[in-house]
Amino acid sequence: MTRDGKRVDRRTLLKGAGAAGVAGLTGLAGCSGGGGGSEYPPLGNYPVDGDTVTFGYNVPQSGSYSQEGEDELRGYNLAQKHLNNGGGWVDSWSDLSGNGVLDKTVESVEGDTATDPDTARQAASRMIDRDNAVMISGGSSSAVAIAVQELCQQEKVQFQACLTHSNDTTGSACVRYSTREMFNAYMTGQSLAPVLSEEYGDDLNFYQLYADYTWGETVQSSMTQFLEEAGWNEVDSVATPLGTSDYQSFLSDVPRDEVDALLLVHYGLDAANSLPQAIEQGMDEDMELVVPLYNRLMAQAASDSIQGVFGTADWNWQLEDSVSQTFVESFQSEYDKVPSYAARLAYVQTLQYAAAVERAETFYPPEVIRQLEGVQYENAGLGSETMRKCDHQAQRDVLVVQGASQEEQTDQKLLNIVNQTSQDQLGYACDAGPAAECELGEYGDE
């Protein structure tokens, strides 16, 4: 379509047309292809023209969580390769063909969130407006994920949340146009508190240093809830700025004569700084140290400090089920290293979106979302899972892990799996916990 000799993209046309113009352009889907036919009106970046479809990968390529972003991109790119050419899980997922998505070749664009919500929104907005991305995925910061999913809800473009652990993502900040495969802070509390109580005893005093944003706040509140239910007593919780490199002053304020356990609610490079600094101060001699949410890249950076330290993890390459091992083998073959759970999240969320499109037989966003809601699956490396309809939160198992000893550690093995807590012991009803605060919003075709 051209105007004065210049190409005018469909989004520019729709934005200029307004609501009445959109209604009048309903036939555009039929005349331009778009993977769905003329029964659906234009919405978001639907219809999809031509022989390709674009996904947007919005990850931290700079900042505190940049290492995580690198592995997310590996997972996304591997998923894209398999969607287009077969391989990995695509060969066993009945909804996927290995010939693109609805016979369209998957292409992609990348953005750098810089672990900053405003930067992330700007990057996602460019992908939607300039590149016509039909799906955005990313994370590594819950504040980033929440900011981008709000944008995607407004733009009617699907967001497949990658690494985001805050309760708010599928709680108070939930949206219709987002789903989350990762477990949340509430589930960390549910799975970790019983293990800590069994390991260290009852009626202990604990203290928390937590990252001062939505993720740290919800982990802090969830750990407080479940540890107190287990009989522990909180001495204090202190917020620390995201991106802190020197935690000495915060650690010095911890009353050693009162505290039995110190929870370091930090992630990525922040945790790789705070945990070794706590050990340098000899705090491990006076109290137990806990990192509620581990990741392999953080464990690598702080490998001298993690021995015996408990936490939770989304997934681990050491799981021996055939689904996990298929992914591990595919990832190793491509990158000559084992995947972190960030890579698994990126991979599975890309495939879940593609499979929903295939089931819907269209890229029309409301129909794709309806195919994601309530879907049950056993092909993502954690056994049986359900993407719950009421809050778009995956109901799934959670791993409790512990840092390996120096003797056990290798370049690839840093954590031991202590327990795979069944989803039957986790979660909450749709009118309880974080879900009680969730109002998903509209599909957009009402």
Side-chain angles (χ1 to χ4, degrees):
M1 200 175 294
T2 61
R3 181 187 293 153
D4 297 330
K6 297 181 179 179
R7 185 180 184 277
V8 180
D9 68 33
R10 182 182 48 77
R11 287 188 64 83
T12 302
L13 177 63
L14 295 180
K15 289 180 178 179
V22 170
L25 290 167
T26 301
L28 196 62
C31 69
S32 62
S38 60
E39 67 269 30
Y40 300 118
L43 185 69
N45 275 328
Y46 175 86
V48 179
D49 300 327
D51 298 326
T52 63
V53 61
T54 301
F55 294 173
Y57 308 142
N58 202 24
V59 304
Q61 299 184 55
S62 59
S64 298
Y65 297 164
S66 58
Q67 286 183 310
E68 208 79 66
E70 292 174 3
D71 230 33
E72 285 179 305
L73 282 178
R74 295 184 186 101
Y76 287 129
N77 290 328
L78 186 62
Q80 181 176 326
K81 178 179 179 179
H82 289 168
L83 286 172
N84 287 331
N85 303 295
W89 290 352
V90 170
D91 291 347
S92 60
W93 283 33
S94 60
D95 298 315
L96 300 175
S97 66
N99 188 34
V101 181
L102 293 184
D103 295 325
K104 293 181 183 291
T105 300
V106 179
E107 297 183 341
S108 62
V109 290
E110 297 176 3
D112 180 9
T113 70
T115 320
D116 176 75
D118 290 337
T119 302
R121 281 181 65 100
Q122 292 168 12
S125 184
R126 286 193 297 270
M127 294 176 184
I128 294 169
D129 292 335
R130 180 190 65 193
D131 303 306
N132 293 323
V134 297
M135 183 273 282
I136 306 293
S137 188
S140 288
S141 160
S142 290
V144 162
I146 289 169
V148 174
Q149 72 179 21
E150 288 174 350
L151 171 71
C152 287
Q153 178 72 30
Q154 296 164 10
E155 296 287 343
K156 299 298 180 285
V157 170
Q158 180 65 18
F159 181 67
Q160 291 291 94
C162 187
L163 208 164
T164 169
H165 185 242
S166 169
N167 291 335
D168 295 341
T169 307
T170 50
S172 61
C174 73
V175 299
R176 181 73 62 183
Y177 276 71
S178 177
T179 68
R180 173 164 60 178
E181 162 73 13
M182 189 176 185
F183 67 109
N184 60 18
Y186 193 93
M187 297 177 191
T188 280
Q190 286 179 310
S191 57
L192 185 56
V195 172
L196 296 178
S197 180
E198 181 178 354
E199 183 74 16
Y200 300 132
D202 301 324
D203 195 28
L204 271 63
N205 294 329
F206 68 99
Y207 188 105
Q208 298 192 75
L209 295 178
Y210 66 93
D212 191 14
Y213 74 109
T214 179
W215 170 71
E217 292 165 358
T218 62
V219 175
Q220 179 271 327
S221 63
S222 295
M223 291 307 302
T224 296
Q225 175 183 341
F226 289 104
L227 284 174
E228 288 185 342
E229 287 182 8
W232 287 27
N233 311 292
E234 185 171 52
V235 174
D236 201 2
S237 289
V238 177
T240 61
L242 180 65
T244 297
S245 58
D246 187 352
Y247 289 90
Q248 299 295 335
S249 62
F250 294 105
L251 293 166
S252 296
D253 289 338
V254 178
R256 296 194 182 201
D257 57 340
E258 298 178 38
V259 174
D260 301 305
L262 173 62
L263 277 63
L264 298 171
V265 186
H266 300 132
Y267 193 78
L269 292 179
D270 289 0
N273 285 323
S274 66
L275 179 59
Q277 288 171 27
I279 291 175
E280 286 170 10
Q281 289 199 18
M283 302 188 78
D284 58 324
E285 299 174 7
D286 298 327
M287 62 194 71
E288 307 298 341
L289 302 179
V290 179
V291 178
L293 182 64
Y294 260 113
N295 69 314
R296 185 173 59 83
L297 300 173
M298 166 265 164
Q300 285 178 324
S303 59
D304 291 342
S305 305
I306 63 173
Q307 177 172 329
V309 177
F310 283 101
T312 59
D314 174 82
W315 172 86
N316 188 282
W317 68 270
Q318 298 172 79
L319 290 173
E320 296 179 352
D321 63 282
S322 60
V323 176
S324 291
Q325 287 308 304
T326 294
F327 176 57
V328 171
E329 291 164 9
S330 296
F331 194 93
Q332 279 187 301
S333 176
E334 189 75 14
Y335 301 113
D336 196 29
K337 62 190 301 182
V338 297
S340 69
Y341 68 67
R344 184 202 78 97
L345 285 166
Y347 186 85
V348 69
Q349 283 293 74
T350 306
L351 265 58
Q352 286 283 21
Y353 173 78
V357 170
E358 293 285 0
R359 292 193 298 272
E361 299 181 345
T362 178
F363 287 100
Y364 184 59
E367 292 304 311
V368 176
I369 292 169
R370 291 182 176 105
Q371 289 297 325
L372 287 165
E373 292 177 330
V375 65
Q376 297 181 351
Y377 51 103
E378 297 182 354
N379 49 13
L382 289 167
S384 176
E385 299 186 56
T386 301
M387 183 58 66
R388 193 159 62 175
K389 182 176 181 180
C390 68
D391 59 354
H392 291 192
Q393 171 64 57
Q395 302 299 292
R396 31 114 354 136
D397 294 359
V398 172
L399 303 185
V400 176
V401 296
Q402 188 177 32
S405 67
Q406 290 290 316
E407 294 74 24
E408 292 178 287
Q409 288 184 18
T410 68
D411 289 341
Q412 304 198 49
K413 181 183 177 182
L414 296 160
L415 302 171
N416 290 322
I417 300 171
V418 175
N419 189 39
Q420 182 166 343
T421 309
S422 168
Q423 63 173 299
D424 296 337
Q425 301 172 263
L426 301 171
Y428 41 90
C430 287
D431 59 355
E437 302 180 63
C438 174
E439 295 184 10
L440 287 170
E442 298 180 349
Y443 291 94
D445 61 350
E446 289 82 356

